[in-house]
Amino acid sequence: MKKIFITLFFSASLCASAQNNYSERYEQPLSDVLKSIEKLFQVKIKCDIDTAGKKLPYADFRIRPYSIEETLDNVCKYFDANWWDQGKKTYKLKVYEYARRHTSDGEKMLRWLSAKYNNKEEWEKRCKLLRKEIRERLEIDSYLDSCVKDAKPQMSKIRKYDGYNVQNICLETLPGEYLYASIYSPAKKGKHALIICPNGHFYDGRYRKDQQQRLASLARMGAICVSYDLYGWGESKREHPNHRTDRAHVIQAMDGLLLLDWMVTNRAKEIDTERIAANGGSGGGSLTVLLSALDERFTAAAPVVSLASHFDGGCPCESGKPIHLSAGGTCNPELLAMMAPKPVLVVSDGGDWTASVPQLEFPYLQRIWNFYGSDINVRNVHLPNERHDFGKNKRQAVYDFFIDVFRLDASKLDEEKVTIEPAYALQTIPMSKE
């Protein structure tokens, strides 16, 4: 019955446009075409593209009555747009995004990449090329060469809490430009792991409650954690009111490396250089991957709700510089695989683009770690019923990982012991006490 309905509808659609002919290109208003597709496939179509006055040539001939996806492909490509399955029989049409693709595209990409290396030697040759081209496309070395030498940071007073301390730091990087960060340290003296924690695009940035909970908890267990502002976020807005630029991409990576340099140099007595990691969520997860690919001093990495072969990051601060064109084409899972055979945790969920990780990206990573006989060192915690955030279960996955690989003291894990500070307390140069 369904086949009869589709055939009849398709025929009716053609008849409705019979007044058109080849010379008139069988044009139909785009809005009418979308309504016809909704009725044919019994779906709802949302539009983020302007349909006013737009006409689709050969409209009826673009319909594939057996496939909503192929039909939408044929419609969207004429307008340089793309479609996305929103679930519950709803599709959204959006302007083409260079950093976002369909899961099937990610699958093809990983298959293409995997064919390039079948053993450790071939893989390491690929890594060498990737590392070189990523640095070139990011232009990071020219930025690092231009940094202020021997800059003396502004430091806040140390604030002492239950089992950990917090101190803010403001460091001049490029002439007249600064990075703003907070250092969470164990109260106990000794050699500690160091975790560089780039922030993501979550509301309130590095001042939010779950960020403080995570970093303070890790500090109580024995890790020094450094949280820093994104370019144009928080205190960084003073110099850079516009965050969404490709310059943010290189500055944020540069800031992470400069903080690593400063901590290792100036707090050498406290840092165990065998235990250095990057950990962040969402955009901070993209930056975690990039930092680990840029600097081999990182001995572990834990990107959270970010990794996908079909999404490079929705902000220019994640994909503004064309690093994903390196070595003929790459993606974030391949960049993260450059950590092999070191310990890596990927946290994913069912409510965002990381839903594909257990079936797609994680098996790819396991294959690379298998080149070293170390697939036990790459882990995935997938939370199928959760969405895009850095919630309690995601933080717990991070705690468990670092307790294991960095030998942190699990007996000190208690988020109730963390004091949540107001945003102004985490600012080196407080803007307000609101």
Side-chain angles (χ1 to χ4, degrees):
M1 188 70 183
K2 185 177 179 182
K3 288 184 178 178
I4 295 173
F5 168 76
I6 289 174
T7 302
L8 289 174
F9 185 90
F10 186 47
S11 300
S13 178
L14 288 173
C15 290
S17 60
Q19 70 274 18
N20 277 326
N21 55 43
Y22 183 82
S23 61
E24 294 173 346
R25 305 172 72 205
Y26 297 95
E27 283 187 338
Q28 293 288 333
L30 177 59
S31 57
D32 290 351
V33 173
L34 297 180
K35 288 176 185 176
S36 295
I37 293 172
E38 285 183 317
K39 188 173 181 180
L40 172 60
F41 292 102
Q42 295 296 294
V43 299
K44 181 179 178 65
I45 296 178
K46 298 179 179 179
C47 246
D48 277 359
I49 59 174
D50 183 12
T51 61
K54 286 188 170 66
K55 291 189 175 182
L56 184 65
Y58 309 106
D60 293 322
F61 298 95
R62 296 178 190 267
I63 302 293
R64 300 292 179 267
Y66 47 82
S67 173
I68 176 70
E69 289 83 4
E70 289 186 39
T71 296
L72 292 177
D73 278 343
N74 288 340
V75 171
C76 287
K77 62 188 177 185
Y78 184 78
F79 299 103
D80 199 26
N82 211 337
W83 59 269
W84 303 99
D85 187 346
Q86 305 285 291
K88 297 182 179 179
K89 301 193 75 174
T90 300
Y91 292 81
K92 179 178 280 191
L93 271 56
K94 301 176 69 175
V95 174
Y96 176 78
E97 298 171 279
Y98 69 92
R100 191 189 303 268
R101 300 167 294 280
H102 292 291
T103 304
S104 59
D105 294 316
E107 183 178 5
K108 293 171 187 175
M109 182 66 167
L110 291 181
R111 190 183 308 127
W112 178 74
L113 288 172
S114 294
K116 293 181 176 295
Y117 29 79
N118 294 294
N119 52 55
K120 183 176 76 170
E121 291 71 29
E122 292 175 355
W123 165 244
E124 290 183 346
K125 184 178 179 181
R126 170 77 174 175
C127 283
K128 186 177 180 180
L129 179 60
L130 280 170
R131 191 166 281 112
K132 176 179 179 293
E133 289 202 22
I134 289 166
R135 297 189 78 93
E136 290 173 352
R137 290 179 181 275
L138 192 61
E139 303 174 39
I140 193 164
D141 290 313
S142 63
Y143 278 76
L144 289 170
D145 289 343
S146 302
C147 284
V148 177
K149 307 303 179 188
D150 302 317
K152 296 193 184 316
Q154 298 179 55
M155 308 290 293
S156 73
K157 290 183 179 179
I158 296 174
R159 303 182 297 284
K160 297 184 177 182
Y161 296 110
D162 187 342
Y164 70 100
N165 303 323
V166 186
Q167 185 177 29
N168 307 329
I169 178 174
C170 170
L171 182 66
E172 187 174 18
T173 55
L174 299 169
E177 299 189 39
Y178 300 84
L179 70 79
Y180 302 89
S182 294
I183 304 168
Y184 294 72
S185 304
K188 186 178 179 180
K189 305 276 184 197
K191 286 275 191 179
H192 303 296
L194 172 65
I195 307 176
I196 304 296
C197 299
N199 181 39
H201 295 96
F202 299 115
Y203 180 74
D204 275 349
R206 68 179 177 90
Y207 314 112
R208 69 188 192 275
K209 179 179 178 180
D210 67 78
Q211 180 93 341
Q212 295 187 53
Q213 286 175 313
R214 184 173 102 253
L215 274 61
S217 295
L218 288 166
R220 293 185 80 252
M221 291 190 285
I224 299 175
C225 297
V226 187
S227 172
Y228 63 101
D229 278 332
L230 295 177
Y231 179 98
W233 278 51
E235 292 184 89
S236 176
K237 278 187 178 180
R238 291 189 177 98
E239 293 98 41
H240 310 297
N242 185 7
H243 168 71
R244 292 185 61 84
T245 68
D246 62 357
R247 193 172 190 266
H249 198 186
V250 60
I251 293 290
Q252 290 172 186
M254 179 190 77
D255 286 352
L257 298 182
L258 290 176
L259 282 170
L260 173 56
D261 288 339
W262 192 89
M263 294 295 294
V264 169
T265 301
N266 294 277
R267 299 183 65 162
K269 292 182 179 180
E270 302 171 66
I271 305 296
D272 178 358
T273 56
E274 298 297 313
R275 295 184 293 159
I276 295 177
N279 168 229
S282 192
S286 298
L287 193 47
T288 291
V289 171
L290 180 55
L291 289 173
S292 68
L294 289 171
D295 199 313
E296 294 183 82
R297 288 177 293 177
F298 286 101
T299 63
V304 175
V305 295
S306 66
L307 192 76
S309 54
H310 44 91
F311 188 43
D312 302 331
C315 178
C317 81
E318 302 169 75
S319 55
K321 296 289 186 182
I323 63 170
H324 296 98
L325 301 180
S326 298
T330 186
C331 59
N332 284 339
E334 188 179 43
L335 300 188
L336 182 61
M338 294 167 69
M339 281 290 287
K342 300 171 185 176
V344 160
L345 167 70
V346 177
V347 180
S348 55
D349 64 74
D352 62 20
W353 55 88
T354 65
S356 61
V357 168
Q359 292 78 36
L360 185 55
E361 288 82 5
F362 186 53
Y364 165 82
L365 295 174
Q366 287 179 305
R367 178 174 181 262
I368 304 299
W369 264 258
N370 264 323
F371 291 160
Y372 298 86
S374 300
D375 63 323
I376 194 173
N377 277 348
V378 61
R379 312 172 190 190
N380 173 221
V381 172
H382 186 67
L383 303 165
N385 299 318
E386 296 196 11
R387 300 188 67 80
H388 190 75
D389 60 22
F390 216 135
K392 185 174 180 59
N393 290 330
K394 299 177 179 82
R395 297 196 301 277
Q396 186 63 53
V398 170
Y399 299 149
D400 291 341
F401 176 69
F402 286 120
I403 286 169
D404 182 21
V405 302
F406 280 174
R407 306 179 300 281
L408 301 186
D409 185 354
S411 69
K412 299 293 185 183
L413 175 55
D414 185 351
E415 289 190 341
E416 296 298 318
K417 301 287 187 182
V418 174
T419 298
I420 304 302
E421 298 185 305
Y424 69 82
L426 290 163
Q427 297 165 354
T428 309
I429 309 169
M431 287 188 260
S432 72
K433 293 191 177 184
E434 294 180 1

